[in-house]
């Protein structure tokens, strides 16, 4: 079964915007908080944003004020709106439960911020 399907990554210029989408299986969506994670080359994977079942949100300091996580319960989809993108945001972005579960890591979607 495919539990998480990420999409929306692209090559964008600094200052640009992207919206990532994560389609989540209904079972997972209904019982876990969902997080967006990223991993840049040579760096440890980190959580950048999370949204609870009730809709509460948290953000890493590095993206606070620039990224917004949201979800559409009817579509079992979690979004990450990314604005004012910086080169240091370049990474593969994944979604997973929060806390993450190893069995759910997928391929992610590549975000590259470069001029």
């Amino acid at each position: 079964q495919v539990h998480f399907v990420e999409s929306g990554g692209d090559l964008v210029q600094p200052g640009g915007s992207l919206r990532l989408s994560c389609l989540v299986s209904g079972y997972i969506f209904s019982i876990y908080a969902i997080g967006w994670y990223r991993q840049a080359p040579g760096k440890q994977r980190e959580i950048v944003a999370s949204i609870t079942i009730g809709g509460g949100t948290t953000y890493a300091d590095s993206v606070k004020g620039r990224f917004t996580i949201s979800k559409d319960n009817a579509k079992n989809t979690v979004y990450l709106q990314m604005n004012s993108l910086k080169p240091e945001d370049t990474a593969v972005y994944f979604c997973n439960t929060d806390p993450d579960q190893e069995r759910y890591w997928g391929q992610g979607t590549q975000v590259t911020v470069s001029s």
Side-chain angles (χ1 to χ4, degrees):
Q1 292 183 329
V2 177
H3 302 289
F4 295 89
V5 180
E6 303 98 338
S7 62
D10 204 355
L11 170 64
V12 297
Q13 294 184 336
S17 297
L18 282 174
R19 189 176 77 158
L20 306 183
S21 298
C22 174
L23 180 63
V24 187
S25 74
Y27 170 77
I28 293 172
F29 197 86
S30 68
I31 63 174
Y32 294 110
I34 306 297
W36 278 101
Y37 303 77
R38 68 185 182 188
Q39 187 167 27
K43 293 185 177 180
Q44 186 174 340
R45 184 162 49 213
E46 62 176 341
I47 189 165
V48 299
S50 180
I51 188 164
T52 68
I53 296 171
T57 59
T58 57
Y59 299 91
D61 288 342
S62 59
V63 308
K64 195 171 298 181
R66 299 188 297 121
F67 291 10
T68 302
I69 189 170
S70 62
K71 64 177 181 177
D72 185 333
N73 291 329
K75 296 181 178 179
N76 289 350
T77 300
V78 179
Y79 304 98
L80 186 67
Q81 178 66 47
M82 305 185 295
N83 299 324
S84 301
L85 283 162
K86 304 175 180 179
E88 51 262 46
D89 295 318
T90 295
V92 178
Y93 283 72
F94 304 87
C95 47
N96 202 327
T97 56
D98 179 18
D100 64 280
Q101 299 180 64
E102 186 65 29
R103 57 181 170 168
Y104 292 144
W105 292 117
Q107 294 185 354
T109 186
Q110 177 71 50
V111 173
T112 302
V113 185
S114 177
S115 59

